[in-house]
């Protein structure tokens, strides 16, 4: 490894949380990787996060338990955080810093990739237009997922976001042009997840028969917090490699971004930085963007990176900094609702605050079906009206509603029970989803259909029953 | 000139501290480290200086060199900007891609507009002429749409001593030589350099009295933006800020659009790059890309360049204004710029004010918005810079510092509303909390262009909408049925205004841009529906008869059914309304 050339530093100035400081250090690069070894011989990785004259501040990935200022050996690797990548990563499992944890041995490759990546030149991007069929009506019909999109799931603790993600993985299907493979490769990044959650996903991948197509980077809840900051970057680096060098379509599932944000906040407070909202660092936005923006497609490439980050909103609060800033970066969001969950509706997607920004260019004639844009608009506007009427019904009682309003109530029920609600194993084709949409829209009085033009109504609405 | 050399002593993200920097100037551009990263000095203390670096600093080492360039962060202003996309410090992203591939590396160096490309130059001056700073001395047809007028550099006044013949040259060619009073000779080229942080000089500011026609009904009629004015567009995520900005960039009647994508999504910039060349300007029949300059610092590009990108955009706008053009700057989003300020400020360990933002946030915002204006330029032409800044308030809460402070310095406030966006009411501009301070200044404009004072009509319709929001609160408590018919009529008409007028479909061919005249006729039609209905109700006709589904439907759909180029057809709908109520009243009086 060439370690003999490297200088080892034996005295630290300070150990605080996962941050160590040492001085009289020369020729160290910003962001460089650091090897830290304690007296027991246990090795850990770290990274230079600040250089101040001859003093260097290192963030250690792992606990600093047992480190004293005199029992620690520190050496600098002379290169940034890089991981080796080759096609052999498919089907493998790694920890948060990219080391294999599945007894399959190390990955050997000539090529090392900086986990921080580099920004995609906007000129080189290809605007995503091809939709991905997930077989879930609310998503396909109203929040259509597009290949190369970053579309997070905003959830709350206890809601079935993992099931939803697993269902998407199992059912996701691309509309393929000729000679294109239909298969996704999946990169799964677990950030601070419980063991049983990780187990659930492993099982889900196995059941879906995609095991050999999955790369996992797992940082368990009881793993070092600092690794949480690197884990998603390893995963995205692997995804970029598979997409842009191996020309694959890659679906990246990342859970839980809230744990990631908390790790970031912890490091920030250890570094005594000026906090902004709720103690999160001022750079939370740019930092999250450095993850999310790595999704996309290239003009000169075949592959794509589609990113589905999952985050649990603390206290179900969508204005919390993590969902808030995420929403500003990602191309929409799928919001799960506790109300619907309690009504026993699966998946409990509340379509009103949900949105897919790229949907407008990926649906309609030539993509899904010509009536798709209008019917989805109509569902949105009618279902949002249902909310007002329900509020009214709370006060005046359902019997005293006007005829029109009663029909809206009926529509609202049908929308939730028939359209939104489906089985964990139910895979609905886009045509089925749209037909179903027409069926429930037909419950409404005709002159309430202000988003549909008469020609479309005539063509698609089945009347006479 | 031998350049000064200092060395790095501290590195903290995009902020570095240099030593041995005596002689370096404040706001000077420097090259940092072996990779020659571009940076700007933001403070000097004895022989050390703090530098913000516009590129990724990973791998930078202590004691690496810092080299002075002797000049502040400047742009090369000349032909080659239109139709192009630049990063935050005017480096062309297309040629970065051609030279460095799909991902942007660091250490590209300072590149700017194309130096090789040859342009057809027509010289307007001859030997012996006296020229003064800011005057037009030559022209270049930059795109089919825009003639680029070359301006004498600021600070250069005197007699023309040499002139090149008309012909094809690259931007580095000396075109004209000017000798000033002191006998010093200046060569004028096709470009000039200008520091981004200094506003370009003008002759004088002129009063603001012209509408920036956007073809968007809620703006042109209800909350107009004036040429040379300022507008803020705040809204939580998903409320359609970018969508609205894109619509304005596509359809507003400015000559030049500078679109600054500041800390936003990469795909949005790509979308503009794909869409704009295909969109044809109805007035000139040319793709609107030919009048557009794009500046992209996407959210994952270095944060210090985000701070600069806003200034880069406004400086380009001022330059075209000085030629006599009307320029609109779309800044999407100023919140990301403010956050970049906050991030740098935090790394400098400055004392924070509200929510961690630096105390100088309001003054920076003011300086930025004050660069808008309607002016007489040094070339004796009228030109304007209009600024439309998107604001992304944290949590969608308009009381946060960036929105609050922006509100103080802009005249038009277009609050985007989450509830409206959820029900897919676009543009989701909330009529209850938005305002335009230009209504009075534009009074004459409306009268001259529409032969009519729209103020009363506008006030009347807004009143219906205000009234509706008040009534809806009651409805929420007791239901609609208990309201008197007159009030129920207001609810019905408000619905027509919302669906038939305020909602505008950006994806519909007829509806995406609507001429001012048609906007007015539509509103007058709705007014007719309101008045005739009211009349009928006063006669005692019940609301169930007054509100006729088919008739209302005709009115609501007129945005699609009346072609933009044949507005007369709207008379048919007016006749329908009149006939319907005539008959109704007749039947009832029997």
């Amino acid at each position: 490894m060439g370690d003999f050339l490297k200088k080892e530093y034996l005295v630290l100035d300070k150990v605080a949380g996962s941050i160590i400081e040492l001085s009289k250090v020369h020729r160290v690069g910003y962001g460089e990787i650091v090897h830290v070894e304690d007296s027991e011989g246990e090795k850990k990785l770290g990274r230079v996060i600040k250089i101040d004259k001859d003093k260097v501040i290192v963030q250690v990935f792992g606990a600093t338990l047992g480190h004293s200022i005199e029992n620690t050996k520190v050496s600098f690797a002379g290169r940034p955080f890089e991981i080796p990548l080759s096609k052999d990563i498919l089907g493998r499992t790694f920890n948060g810093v990219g080391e294999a944890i599945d007894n399959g041995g190390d990955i050997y490759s000539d090529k090392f990739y900086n986990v921080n990546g580099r920004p995609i030149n906007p000129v080189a991007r290809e605007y995503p237009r091809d939709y991905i069929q997930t077989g879930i009506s609310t998503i396909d019909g109203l929040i259509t997922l597009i290949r190369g999109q970053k579309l997070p799931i905003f959830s709350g603790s206890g809601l079935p976001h993992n099931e939803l993600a697993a269902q998407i993985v199992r059912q996701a299907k691309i509309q393929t042009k000729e000679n294109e493979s239909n298969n996704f490769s999946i990169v799964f990044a677990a950030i601070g997840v419980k063991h049983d959650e990780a187990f659930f996903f492993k099982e889900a991948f196995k059941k879906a028969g995609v095991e050999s197509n999955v790369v996992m980077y797992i940082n368990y809840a009881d793993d070092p917090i600092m690794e949480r900051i690197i884990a998603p970057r390893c995963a995205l680096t692997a995804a970029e490699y598979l997409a842009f060098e191996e020309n694959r379509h890659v679906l990246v599932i990342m859970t839980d971004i809230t744990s990631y944000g908390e790790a970031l906040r912890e490091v920030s407070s250890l570094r005594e930085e000026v906090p902004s909202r709720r103690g999160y660092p001022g750079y939370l936005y740019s930092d999250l963007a450095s993850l999310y923006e790595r999704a996309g497609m290239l003009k000169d490439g075949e592959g794509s990176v589609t990113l589905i980050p999952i985050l649990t909103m603390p206290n179900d609060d969508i204005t919390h900094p993590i969902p808030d800033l995420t929403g500003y970066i990602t191309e929409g969001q799928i919001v799960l609702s506790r109300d619907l969950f309690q009504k026993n509706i699966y998946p409990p997607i509340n379509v009103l605050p949900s949105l897919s920004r790229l949907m407008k260019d990926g649906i309609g004639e030539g993509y899904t079906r010509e009536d798709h844009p209008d019917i989805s608009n109509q569902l949105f506007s009618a279902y949002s009206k249902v909310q007002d009427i329900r509020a009214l019904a709370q006060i005046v009682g359902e019997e005293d509603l006007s005829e029109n309003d009663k029909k809206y109530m009926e529509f609202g029920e049908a929308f939730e029970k028939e359209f939104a609600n489906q089985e964990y194993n139910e895979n609905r084709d886009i045509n089925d989803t749209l037909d179903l949409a027409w069926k429930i829209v037909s419950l409404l009085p005709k002159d309430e259909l202000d988003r549909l033009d008469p020609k479309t109504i005539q063509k698609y609405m089945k009347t006479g029953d | 000139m031998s350049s000064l050399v200092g060395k790095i002593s501290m590195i903290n993200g995009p902020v570095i501290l240099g030593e041995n920097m005596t002689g370096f100037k404040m706001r000077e551009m420097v090259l940092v480290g072996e990779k020659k990263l571009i940076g700007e000095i933001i403070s000097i203390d004895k022989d050390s200086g703090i530098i913000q670096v516009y590129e990724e600093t990973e791998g930078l080492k202590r004691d690496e060199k810092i080299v002075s360039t002797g000049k502040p962060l400047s742009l090369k202003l000349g032909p080659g900007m239109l139709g192009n996309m630049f990063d935050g410090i005017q480096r062309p992203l297309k040629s970065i891609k051609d030279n460095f591939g799909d991902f942007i590396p660091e250490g590209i160096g300072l590149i700017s507009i194309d130096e090789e490309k040859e342009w057809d130059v027509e010289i307007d001056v001859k030997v012996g002429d006296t020229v003064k700073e800011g005057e037009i001395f030559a022209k270049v047809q930059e795109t089919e749409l825009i003639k680029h007028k070359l301006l004498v550099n600021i600070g250069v006044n005197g007699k023309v001593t040499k002139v090149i013949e008309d012909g094809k040259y690259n931007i580095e060619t000396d075109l004209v030589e000017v000798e000033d009073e002191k006998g010093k000779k200046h060569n004028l080229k096709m470009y000039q350099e200008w520091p981004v942080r200094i506003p370009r000089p003008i002759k004088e500011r002129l009063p603001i009295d012209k509408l920036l026609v956007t073809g968007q009904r809620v703006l042109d009629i209800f909350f107009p933006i004036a040429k040379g004015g300022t507008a803020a567009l705040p809204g939580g995520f998903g409320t359609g800020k970018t969508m609205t900005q894109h619509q304005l960039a596509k359809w507003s009647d400015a000559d030049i659009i500078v679109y600054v994508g500041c800390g936003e999504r990469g795909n949005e910039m790509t979308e503009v790059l794909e869409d704009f060349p295909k969109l044809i300007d109805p007035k000139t029949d040319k793709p609107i890309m030919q009048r557009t300059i794009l500046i992209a610092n996407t959210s994952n590009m270095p944060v210090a360049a985000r701070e600069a990108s806003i200034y880069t955009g406004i400086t380009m706008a001022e330059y075209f204004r000085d030629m006599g053009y009307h320029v609109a700057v779309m800044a999407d989003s100023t919140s990301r710029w403010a956050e970049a300020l906050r991030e740098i400020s935090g790394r400098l360990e400055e004392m924070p004010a509200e929510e961690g933002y630096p105390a100088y946030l309001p003054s920076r915002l003011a300086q930025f918005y004050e660069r808008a204006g309607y002016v007489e330029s040094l070339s004796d032409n009228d030109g304007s810079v209009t600024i439309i800044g998107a604001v992304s308030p944290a949590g969608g809460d308009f009381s946060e510092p960036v929105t609050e402070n922006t509100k103080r310095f802009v005249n038009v406030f277009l609050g985007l509303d989450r509830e409206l966006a959820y029900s897919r009411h676009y543009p989701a501009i909330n009529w209850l909390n938005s305002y335009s301070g230009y209504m009075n200044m534009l009074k004459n404009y409306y009268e001259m262009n529409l032969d009519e004072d729209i103020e009363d009509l506008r006030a009347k319709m807004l009143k219906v909408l205000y009234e509706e929001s008040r009534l809806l609160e009651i409805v929420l408590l007791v239901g609609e049925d208990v309201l008197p018919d007159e009030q129920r009529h207001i609810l019905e008409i408000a619905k027509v205004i919302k669906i038939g007028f305020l909602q505008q479909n950006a994806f519909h061919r007829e509806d995406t841009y609507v001429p001012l005249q048609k906007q007015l006729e539509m509103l007058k039609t709705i007014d007719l529906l309101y008045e005739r209905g009211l009349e009928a109700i006063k006669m005692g006709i019940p609301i169930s008869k007054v509100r006729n589904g088919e008739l209302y439907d005709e009115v609501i759909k007129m945005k699609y059914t009346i072609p933009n180029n044949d507005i007369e057809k709207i008379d048919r709908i007016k006749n329908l309304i009149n006939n319907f109520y005539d008959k109704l009243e007749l039947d009832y009086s029997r």
Side-chain angles (χ1 to χ4, degrees):
Chain A
M1 291 287 279
D3 273 343
F4 57 90
L5 278 177
K6 267 175 220 144
K7 226 173 166 173
E8 281 193 339
Y9 295 84
L10 301 171
V11 181
L12 306 182
D13 288 0
K14 186 175 165 186
V15 185
S18 58
I19 285 184
I20 58 174
E21 272 183 39
L22 59 166
S23 52
K24 299 193 185 116
V25 180
H26 288 277
R27 303 304 295 165
V28 168
Y30 183 72
E32 190 170 307
I33 280 307
V34 183
H35 296 283
V36 183
E37 192 180 335
D38 66 12
S39 51
E40 312 289 313
E42 195 182 327
K43 287 179 184 164
K44 281 166 201 138
L45 289 175
R47 185 165 63 155
V48 176
I49 54 171
K50 186 172 175 180
I51 300 173
D52 191 357
K53 310 232 167 64
D54 71 345
K55 203 166 78 187
V56 168
I57 298 174
V58 176
Q59 172 190 318
V60 180
F61 304 116
T64 45
L65 180 90
H67 284 276
S68 83
I69 54 173
E70 280 174 338
N71 71 354
T72 307
K73 281 191 250 176
V74 176
S75 64
F76 293 88
R79 56 180 176 80
F81 204 124
E82 288 169 333
I83 51 171
L85 291 174
S86 75
K87 265 197 235 173
D88 300 337
I89 57 171
L90 285 168
R92 300 291 309 274
T93 305
F94 305 90
N95 67 6
V97 286
E99 295 160 350
I101 50 168
D102 57 357
N103 304 323
D106 291 341
I107 295 290
Y108 291 99
S109 170
D110 306 343
K111 286 194 186 156
F112 282 75
Y113 295 81
N114 186 334
V115 295
N116 286 323
R118 278 174 167 159
I120 301 180
N121 190 329
V123 174
R125 275 184 193 269
E126 162 103 26
Y127 189 72
R129 285 179 201 278
D130 300 308
Y131 91 105
I132 296 170
Q133 180 178 306
T134 64
I136 297 163
S137 288
T138 34
I139 297 181
D140 290 350
L142 300 172
I143 326 158
T144 316
L145 176 65
I146 306 289
R147 202 192 310 169
Q149 183 172 21
K150 38 194 178 292
L151 189 64
I153 299 175
F154 286 9
S155 183
S157 30
L159 297 183
H161 43 264
N162 290 340
E163 285 79 0
L164 179 61
Q167 190 173 3
I168 293 174
V169 164
R170 199 173 57 236
Q171 300 181 352
K173 203 172 102 190
I174 312 174
Q175 253 209 336
T176 44
K177 293 171 196 135
E178 279 166 61
N179 308 327
E180 243 182 356
S181 77
N182 186 6
N183 280 336
F184 277 109
S185 295
I186 289 145
V187 174
F188 177 70
I191 310 160
V193 297
K194 296 182 287 256
H195 283 263
D196 54 336
E197 274 181 276
F199 184 75
F200 168 82
F201 274 105
K202 271 187 207 166
E203 284 300 304
F205 295 145
K206 205 181 276 173
K207 275 187 203 145
V210 291
E211 228 181 343
S212 61
N213 250 335
V214 180
V215 191
M216 296 210 248
Y217 291 86
I218 297 183
N219 164 268
Y220 291 109
D222 55 355
D223 277 344
I225 283 186
M226 292 313 129
E227 289 186 14
R228 290 179 194 164
I229 293 173
I230 293 296
R233 293 189 161 81
C234 289
L236 285 163
T237 307
E240 279 177 349
Y241 163 80
L242 292 172
F244 303 133
E245 294 191 28
E246 298 292 331
N247 295 328
R248 285 163 183 269
H249 294 297
V250 185
L251 186 62
V252 184
I253 308 272
M254 236 177 226
T255 184
D256 172 342
I257 296 294
T258 308
S259 308
Y260 173 81
E262 276 158 4
L264 210 59
R265 175 165 69 179
E266 194 172 327
V267 179
S268 171
S269 89
L270 283 173
R271 293 175 67 183
E272 293 166 11
E273 291 171 336
V274 180
S276 66
R277 273 179 86 208
R278 299 210 196 173
Y280 288 94
Y283 49 79
L284 181 61
Y285 178 83
S286 350
D287 192 278
L288 287 174
S290 73
L291 303 181
Y292 299 147
E293 274 290 323
R294 290 171 79 171
M297 298 174 79
L298 295 177
K299 281 202 180 80
D300 303 335
E302 298 285 314
S304 63
V305 177
T306 310
L307 176 59
I308 303 185
I310 299 170
L311 58 90
T312 47
M313 299 182 277
N315 206 11
D316 293 350
D317 176 12
I318 200 171
T319 66
H320 181 278
I322 294 171
D324 188 50
L325 295 179
T326 297
Y328 276 120
I329 306 161
T330 52
E331 283 137 355
Q333 64 276 339
I334 297 172
V335 183
L336 303 191
S337 128
R338 203 165 291 278
D339 276 356
L340 291 173
F341 178 65
Q342 281 158 354
K343 280 189 188 171
N344 203 16
I345 285 165
Y346 172 87
I349 296 174
N350 182 0
V351 297
L352 294 177
S354 300
L355 171 75
S356 163
R357 288 167 191 273
L358 300 182
M359 168 176 178
K360 61 183 165 55
D361 295 304
I363 61 168
E365 212 176 343
Y367 296 98
T368 51
R369 213 168 79 181
E370 55 165 355
D371 54 322
H372 191 167
D374 290 344
I375 188 77
S376 73
N377 244 328
Q378 186 64 62
L379 282 177
F380 270 122
S381 95
Y383 186 61
S384 97
K385 206 164 166 195
V386 169
Q387 310 304 315
D388 295 343
I389 294 167
R390 279 182 181 164
L392 179 62
Q394 291 266 325
I395 296 161
V396 300
E398 224 166 290
E399 305 80 54
D400 288 345
L401 289 175
S402 69
E403 276 311 304
N404 242 358
D405 288 356
K406 278 183 188 154
K407 283 191 172 153
Y408 268 104
M409 293 290 277
E410 204 186 322
F411 163 83
E413 286 299 301
F415 179 83
E416 286 165 7
K417 296 238 162 71
E418 292 176 39
F419 188 79
N421 195 23
Q422 69 187 81
E423 294 294 316
Y424 176 57
N425 286 312
E426 190 178 350
N427 190 353
R428 290 187 193 152
D429 183 70
I430 183 72
N431 286 310
D432 296 343
T433 290
L434 293 175
D435 291 344
L436 193 57
W438 280 102
K439 195 179 141 210
I440 56 168
V441 158
S442 67
L443 294 171
L444 292 170
K446 223 168 193 179
D447 62 347
E448 291 289 317
L449 305 180
D450 53 12
R451 309 291 171 108
L452 296 169
D453 73 74
K455 266 184 259 163
T456 329
I457 295 183
Q458 211 176 2
K459 186 162 172 196
Y460 289 100
M461 194 181 287
K462 296 199 177 67
T463 43
D465 48 355
Chain B
M1 188 190 86
S2 70
S3 44
L4 299 163
V5 178
K7 63 178 189 185
I8 300 173
S9 79
M10 183 207 87
I11 308 163
N12 184 5
V15 173
I16 66 165
L17 182 80
E19 280 172 348
N20 285 347
M21 292 185 54
T22 316
F24 280 67
K25 291 188 281 294
M26 184 67 179
R27 290 288 174 195
E28 181 180 339
M29 210 174 359
V30 292
L31 302 175
V32 178
E34 279 163 15
K35 285 183 181 166
K36 294 196 166 55
L37 308 180
I38 294 164
E40 185 184 7
I41 299 181
I42 52 175
S43 87
I44 298 175
D45 181 7
K46 298 198 187 98
D47 79 333
S48 65
I50 294 174
I51 298 159
Q52 61 176 4
V53 182
Y54 292 127
E55 298 178 80
E56 176 55 53
T57 51
E58 190 179 77
L60 217 54
K61 293 190 172 75
R62 190 162 75 89
D63 292 343
E64 285 187 345
K65 279 194 283 190
I66 300 169
V67 183
S68 76
T69 63
K71 60 184 182 191
L73 178 64
S74 311
L75 304 184
K76 271 189 178 175
L77 298 168
M81 293 193 289
L82 292 169
N84 259 326
M85 190 193 272
F86 300 95
D87 75 354
I89 49 176
Q90 209 203 6
R91 298 186 297 188
L93 287 167
K94 174 85 176 54
S95 72
I96 292 177
K97 174 181 184 279
D98 293 344
N99 292 315
F100 301 95
D102 294 333
F103 296 85
I104 304 173
E106 54 282 347
I108 303 163
L110 257 194
I111 47 174
S112 177
I113 49 178
D114 195 338
E115 292 170 2
E116 312 282 317
K117 183 165 179 176
E118 295 194 330
W119 302 89
D120 263 318
V121 187
E122 284 171 58
I123 310 275
D124 288 352
V125 295
K126 51 186 190 304
V127 173
D129 284 358
T130 317
V131 292
K132 56 181 179 37
E133 59 178 8
E135 195 179 312
I136 295 165
F137 72 91
K139 295 191 188 80
V140 170
Q141 191 72 45
E142 185 174 349
T143 65
E144 289 170 299
L145 217 52
I146 299 294
K147 199 161 237 182
H148 193 114
K149 298 161 191 168
L150 303 180
L151 308 170
V152 177
N153 296 12
I154 302 301
V156 175
N157 295 289
K159 270 205 162 56
V160 175
T161 45
K162 248 192 242 169
V163 165
I164 207 166
E165 269 176 42
D166 288 2
K168 260 183 168 334
Y169 306 104
N170 66 24
I171 60 163
E172 287 291 345
T173 317
D174 293 332
L175 302 175
V176 170
E177 187 189 74
V178 176
E179 190 179 322
D180 64 18
E181 281 179 349
K182 291 175 190 149
K184 194 175 171 215
K185 288 184 172 153
H186 303 268
N187 278 315
L188 303 184
K189 296 179 200 263
M190 232 176 284
Y191 70 89
Q192 49 183 294
E193 294 199 1
W194 191 262
V196 294
R197 295 185 196 279
I198 300 176
R200 286 178 60 84
I202 52 168
K203 192 172 266 172
E204 62 173 337
R205 278 183 185 255
L206 300 174
I208 284 174
D209 56 8
K210 290 191 181 56
L211 176 71
L212 181 79
V213 182
T214 63
Q216 312 301 307
R217 289 183 292 261
V218 60
L219 299 182
D220 290 356
I221 299 270
F222 283 110
F223 308 110
I225 303 171
K227 286 205 172 87
T230 48
L233 199 64
F237 63 81
T239 52
K241 285 181 302 298
T242 303
M243 218 26 232
T244 312
Q245 290 273 36
H246 281 196
Q247 279 299 92
L248 294 178
K250 284 173 189 167
W251 304 116
S252 70
D253 71 339
D255 301 312
I256 312 264
I257 302 288
V258 179
Y259 195 101
V260 187
C262 178
E264 289 291 306
R265 305 174 181 90
N267 276 332
E268 282 170 359
M269 297 314 286
T270 311
E271 185 185 5
V272 173
L273 270 187
E274 284 189 15
D275 278 2
F276 280 29
K278 284 183 238 152
L279 282 171
I280 305 295
D281 178 28
K283 289 175 295 272
T284 52
D285 240 9
K286 299 280 183 293
I288 56 170
M289 195 64 197
Q290 295 195 359
R291 62 161 196 182
T292 310
I293 302 173
L294 300 171
I295 300 185
N297 176 279
T298 56
S299 55
N300 56 342
M301 282 156 82
V303 72
R306 191 164 310 157
E307 195 266 335
S309 66
I310 289 275
Y311 294 101
T312 299
I314 195 89
T315 305
M316 289 179 179
E318 286 178 340
Y319 174 66
F320 280 98
R321 171 203 67 193
D322 291 348
M323 299 175 202
Y325 288 116
H326 297 287
V327 189
V329 180
M330 318 285 160
D332 185 14
S333 141
T334 56
S335 293
R336 305 300 162 224
W337 168 74
E339 280 164 10
L341 279 184
R342 173 168 74 183
E343 183 170 340
I344 305 279
S345 165
R347 302 225 188 225
L348 296 175
E349 291 168 11
E350 291 172 342
M351 181 70 84
E354 277 175 284
E355 290 192 15
Y357 287 103
Y360 46 78
L361 173 71
S363 62
R364 292 282 171 89
L365 279 169
Q367 280 165 10
F368 168 64
Y369 281 106
E370 279 302 300
R371 286 176 81 167
Y374 200 104
V375 308
E376 185 178 346
S377 72
L378 294 174
S379 64
D380 298 325
N381 287 304
D382 283 7
S384 68
V385 171
T386 311
I387 300 180
I388 300 157
V391 184
S392 319
D397 170 15
F398 288 180
S399 66
E400 57 90 45
V402 183
T403 319
E404 272 299 312
N405 286 308
T406 302
K407 235 175 162 171
R408 294 164 52 204
F409 306 117
V410 298
N411 260 324
V412 181
F413 184 84
L414 305 167
L416 293 170
D417 191 282
R418 201 167 258 173
E419 294 299 321
L420 291 175
Y422 283 180
S423 61
R424 301 309 188 257
H425 173 114
Y426 291 123
I429 294 172
N430 184 335
W431 49 90
L432 296 176
N433 67 5
S434 301
Y435 57 81
S436 165
Y438 294 119
M439 210 55 212
N440 281 334
M441 303 181 199
L442 295 171
K443 212 169 151 64
N444 284 333
Y445 179 91
Y446 285 116
E447 264 167 38
M448 275 171 55
N449 287 276
L450 294 171
D451 298 321
E452 211 156 337
D453 186 6
I454 67 155
E455 217 176 310
D456 292 342
L457 183 61
R458 170 184 184 267
K460 187 173 169 189
M461 290 298 145
L462 273 178
K463 189 158 168 268
V464 171
L465 291 169
Y466 292 141
E467 196 78 351
E468 185 217 19
S469 73
R470 208 175 51 81
L471 292 174
L472 281 180
E473 281 172 24
I474 303 175
V475 169
L476 212 54
L477 291 175
V478 295
E480 200 183 319
D481 295 347
V482 298
L483 292 180
D485 279 0
E486 213 166 299
Q487 292 186 338
R488 291 185 66 184
H489 183 54
I490 288 197
L491 292 182
E492 293 298 339
I493 294 296
K495 212 186 283 171
V496 175
I497 302 176
K498 284 193 285 188
I499 301 172
F501 192 81
L502 295 176
Q503 281 185 15
Q504 192 163 347
N505 187 345
F507 306 110
H508 192 280
R509 207 158 40 88
E510 285 305 321
D511 205 32
T512 182
Y513 169 89
V514 183
L516 204 51
Q517 191 70 42
K518 181 177 165 190
Q519 299 185 21
L520 177 66
E521 290 304 323
M522 285 173 71
L523 202 57
K524 278 160 81 179
T525 310
I526 296 174
D527 183 41
L528 183 70
L529 187 72
Y530 173 55
E531 287 296 341
R532 291 301 311 253
L534 197 61
E535 202 181 287
I537 285 170
K538 283 189 176 145
M539 284 176 67
I541 305 176
I543 184 81
S544 53
K545 290 268 175 351
V546 171
R547 190 200 176 282
N548 175 284
E550 270 170 48
L551 186 66
Y552 271 52
D553 216 38
E554 281 283 344
V555 176
I556 286 171
K557 298 244 158 88
M558 69 187 162
K559 54 181 168 184
Y560 302 137
T561 51
I562 310 294
N564 287 337
N565 53 16
D566 195 4
I567 302 167
E568 306 285 294
K569 284 214 169 113
I570 210 161
D571 289 341
R572 191 185 65 85
I573 296 178
K574 287 184 186 163
N575 289 336
L576 274 179
I577 297 173
N578 280 324
N579 294 342
F580 174 80
Y581 286 106
D582 286 347
K583 186 164 175 299
L584 187 69
E585 285 168 14
L586 196 67
D587 288 350
Y588 198 76
S589 56
R590 277 206 210 117

